Amino acid sequence: GEAVLNKSAIERRLEELEKTYRDLESERSSRRDFQQVVMHLLARVQSLQFGKNYPFIWRIKDFKTIFDVSKRQYDKTRKVNESNNTCSPLFYTGSKGFLMYLRIYPFGCDSGTGKSMSICLALSPGEYDGLLEWPFRHQIRINFLDQIDFSENWIKIVTPDVSNQPVFNRPTDAASNPGVSLPDYISHW
């Protein structure tokens, strides 16, 4: 009788833990949805504050710490995953423009892993997508500035072409939207 009672108590405790896990997963999903809404609202406010064709400026504070954390995470797992990158706020290309974001991989990704900072540019579903001409066909200039040594300046022009065109089609889901990857953007040296 005592063994049956303990088995029943263990099963109840297991059910409680499973319910707690499901609740936490639901809460994490809700928090992610909330963060997405906040990012879209911030992008909307930013698009209202600036005129057409303004540059998006993303100041990355304490880059050395971000790099060190990315390197440690890679050293532990020996793979690059979403926790090894830093994502910019969403931004519009101008008033009633395309919605985009950048991701940097300080320790690199793909062919740049361990030797270069990599960068990824992606479109996100935006408020004005129905008014825009698709696919996206504009050149994008990415300029990375060193805040200590202003002579250090890395520029990359991304041009939609046949090799990367699917990336520039109208996005349907921000989470699954592919991006243009620049794996060897800035050498670690």
Side-chain angles (χ1 to χ4, degrees):
E2 192 172 315
V4 172
L5 180 61
N6 285 339
K7 184 178 177 187
S8 178
I10 291 171
E11 287 174 347
R12 278 195 309 275
R13 181 67 181 139
L14 182 60
E15 287 173 4
E16 289 172 7
L17 289 172
E18 287 173 345
K19 183 184 180 320
T20 300
Y21 176 78
R22 285 190 306 272
D23 290 346
L24 287 171
E25 282 295 312
S26 175
E27 183 179 320
R28 184 176 2 169
S29 177
S30 295
R31 189 175 309 129
R32 194 172 29 242
D33 291 345
F34 178 73
Q35 287 172 335
Q36 194 77 355
V37 167
V38 168
M39 287 178 68
H40 277 280
L41 289 173
L42 286 172
R44 175 75 174 119
V45 166
Q46 193 175 39
S47 74
L48 292 172
Q49 289 175 336
F50 298 99
K52 205 171 181 121
N53 299 323
Y54 64 90
F56 168 69
I57 298 172
W58 176 29
R59 183 161 188 208
I60 304 168
K61 296 179 181 178
D62 202 9
F63 186 80
K64 176 154 180 25
T65 301
I66 293 169
F67 175 86
D68 291 343
V69 167
S70 180
K71 182 181 183 319
R72 275 195 307 274
Q73 288 174 342
Y74 178 81
D75 287 345
K76 279 184 195 174
T77 63
R78 286 292 174 213
K79 62 182 176 181
V80 176
N81 57 42
E82 288 308 305
S83 65
N84 293 22
N85 74 67
T86 299
C87 196
S88 78
L90 290 165
F91 61 94
Y92 279 98
T93 58
S95 178
K96 297 185 177 127
F98 297 87
L99 187 61
M100 299 182 161
Y101 63 94
L102 294 168
R103 276 192 309 265
I104 60 165
Y105 295 82
F107 197 64
C109 70
D110 301 329
S111 65
T113 302
K115 59 184 181 182
S116 297
M117 180 185 84
S118 304
I119 195 163
C120 178
L121 169 79
L123 290 166
S124 187
E127 187 173 345
Y128 308 109
D129 288 356
L131 305 173
L132 300 170
E133 186 177 320
W134 295 97
F136 181 89
R137 291 190 172 102
H138 308 279
Q139 278 192 340
I140 302 159
R141 178 182 167 146
I142 301 171
N143 194 355
F144 198 87
L145 303 171
D146 186 323
Q147 295 292 303
I148 295 168
D149 182 358
F150 296 119
S151 68
E152 293 291 337
N153 186 358
W154 298 268
I155 298 172
K156 179 70 176 178
I157 305 287
V158 177
T159 304
D161 59 30
V162 174
S163 68
N164 61 19
Q165 193 56 59
V167 170
F168 293 107
N169 289 333
R170 184 175 177 174
T172 56
D173 179 13
S176 64
N177 192 34
V180 174
S181 180
L182 308 171
D184 300 308
Y185 186 60
I186 300 175
S187 171
H188 284 166
W189 68 264

